[in-house]
Amino acid sequence: MTETSRLTLDLDALASNHAVLKAAAANASHGGAEIAPAVKADAYGLGADLVAGRLWDEGARGFYVARLSEGLVLRQALGDRAATIYLLDGVTPGSAPAIEAAGLTPVLNSLPQIEAWNSHARGRTLDAALHIDTGMNRLGLRPEEAVVLTGAMDRLKFLNITLVISHLACASEPDHPLNARQLARFTEAAALFPNARRSLANSGGIFLGADYRFDQCRPGISLYGGGPRDVADDRIKAVATLEAPILQARVVPRGESIGYGAAFTARDTTRVAILAVGYADGVPRAAHPRGAVWFDGARRQMLGRVSMDLIAVDITDCDAARPGAMMQIIGPDLPVDDAAAAAGTTAYELLTRIAPRARRVIKGG
Ligand SMILES: *Cc1c(COP(=O)(O)O)cnc(C)c1O
């Protein structure tokens, strides 16, 4: 039975990427930063329960989710494994009791969030992380707000700030001047909280140099097979392999077109494989006209527009292409960064959009 697309999750490749990032984060000065994986958005679409379970076995003890609902599911999945689960959305209105009940550590992003968690904690002490914005201008306290905060410590009276974080806007571009500016702002602001650990680097940040690694790094994409610079990287293994079977092989005569909009016209007689995969499985519609798949030792061009359920692939001169044979959309032979670039998007978006229709297969312990 191979009539559907198949997403294979290689947990050994995940462990290998984790080891690569851990080694890269090993600061000579203090024996190595903690790796706290970002498992938000269901571990970039791959399955947060499986990913966090395996990374726990590899030694990870802290995990980042975005939404409260993700934190609740992950806490359940981890069972009695006492992981620290950081909640990037922080304390949204009304969520404090649920955050505490699930034992999540909110990342406090603003003075109102600090107020909400501090007043919820009243009379006790609750852990929290603090997010300082150093140039992304999405979430986080402005550095000057952090200064105000330290001058009004009763705002933190019932809080134990265990960690101060910030997030890099351009970590995949080592030469971008914003990196050094964010590092300087973070170093200064984090010094206001001398008892807290510090965390700045995502996947790209780990490779910007030892200065960026601090006590904890928060990689996501490079655990899951994307290069830290948004291009394929030999050190990082493919974790997700998306494949789809050939439904039909046909010959398109010269001068005829393929698919919606007649967007591709055969200049010569062309052998074409029709695959059981489309944008409803997560193949970007924008993969036309540059996208390719991997089969029988070579990249094969996609021809014509991506349909909801089907794509067409050039198999001229490829005798092995028979109905039922599986072609690789992304995987070890076709890096997710390459497939993303061909569709004008990123590995992040490509992975998170692989739809449930693809049958999940787990490889590795
Ligand atoms: C998503 C996210 C990460 C992980 O980033 P990658 O680029 O996938 O390594 C780290 N920190 C924060 C705050 C994030 O939102």
Side-chain angles (χ1 to χ4, degrees):
M1 280 242 305
T2 52
E3 82 282 12
T4 65
S5 54
R6 176 167 77 202
L7 179 69
T8 304
L9 179 58
D10 184 344
L11 295 176
D12 292 337
L14 174 73
S16 165
N17 293 341
H18 178 263
V20 166
L21 296 169
K22 201 163 170 52
N27 283 337
S29 57
H30 63 67
E34 176 197 0
I35 297 292
V39 296
K40 60 196 183 188
D42 203 22
Y44 295 30
L46 301 184
D49 49 349
L50 289 163
V51 163
R54 178 58 186 263
L55 292 176
W56 171 275
D57 292 343
E58 299 299 316
R61 292 295 177 265
F63 298 91
Y64 281 85
V65 297
R67 302 281 117 82
L68 174 58
S69 57
E70 295 170 359
L72 302 182
V73 169
L74 183 60
R75 178 58 80 206
Q76 195 81 37
L78 286 171
D80 58 8
R81 288 167 285 195
T84 303
I85 301 175
Y86 299 98
L87 176 58
L88 287 165
D89 280 357
V91 183
T92 52
S95 69
I99 293 171
E100 187 188 4
L104 309 181
T105 303
V107 178
L108 302 176
N109 291 303
S110 66
L111 294 174
Q113 287 202 349
I114 291 167
E115 160 65 21
W117 195 233
N118 189 58
S119 64
H120 176 74
R122 187 169 303 283
R124 303 167 295 151
T125 303
L126 293 180
D127 286 353
L130 200 61
H131 187 169
I132 314 264
D133 177 62
T134 54
M136 178 76 100
N137 281 296
R138 289 187 323 190
L139 298 176
L141 293 178
R142 293 199 56 85
E144 55 271 23
E145 289 179 306
V147 173
V148 168
L149 191 60
T150 49
M153 287 304 255
D154 53 332
R155 292 193 195 223
L156 300 172
K157 190 166 175 190
F158 302 110
L159 303 184
N160 177 29
I161 303 297
T162 57
L163 180 73
V164 177
I165 79 160
S166 192
H167 193 42
L168 296 165
C170 305
S172 62
E173 301 167 62
D175 297 329
H176 200 292
L178 188 51
N179 291 321
R181 224 180 308 148
Q182 288 196 262
L183 174 62
R185 285 180 183 161
F186 180 65
T187 304
E188 191 176 45
L192 297 167
F193 305 90
N195 298 324
R197 296 164 74 231
R198 295 178 290 174
S199 177
L200 177 62
N202 64 340
S203 300
I206 292 173
F207 296 93
L208 290 178
D211 290 357
Y212 287 81
R213 292 175 207 138
F214 294 97
D215 302 303
Q216 182 201 72
C217 302
R218 313 181 304 268
I221 196 69
S222 292
L223 288 167
Y224 310 128
R229 295 188 179 170
D230 293 342
V231 294
D233 186 310
D234 286 345
R235 295 167 292 188
I236 302 298
K237 290 187 178 162
V239 173
T241 299
L242 179 63
E243 297 164 291
I246 300 173
L247 289 174
Q248 188 175 5
R250 64 190 301 125
V251 174
V252 178
R254 186 161 76 98
E256 292 203 13
S257 64
I258 299 173
Y260 287 117
F264 170 85
T265 300
R267 279 205 224 127
D268 285 300
T269 305
T270 304
R271 270 192 83 223
V272 172
I274 306 300
L275 307 194
V277 73
Y279 57 76
D281 303 270
V283 177
R285 192 167 179 277
H288 172 76
R290 296 206 297 137
V293 305
W294 179 271
F295 183 72
D296 194 29
R299 280 191 194 191
R300 319 263 170 198
Q301 195 65 35
M302 292 184 196
L303 301 176
R305 284 194 192 148
V306 175
S307 299
M308 185 182 292
D309 310 312
L310 302 169
I311 61 173
V313 170
D314 188 348
I315 51 165
T316 307
D317 306 324
C318 177
D319 292 335
R322 303 267 159 69
M326 298 293 275
M327 292 192 167
Q328 190 179 114
I329 316 292
I330 60 168
D333 302 310
L334 213 162
V336 61
D337 286 298
D338 291 7
T345 184
T346 61
Y348 300 76
E349 188 179 23
L350 194 54
L351 288 179
T352 54
R353 284 180 178 240
I354 295 173
R357 189 159 76 178
R359 193 163 58 85
R360 298 295 205 263
V361 177
I362 311 305
K363 199 173 130 189

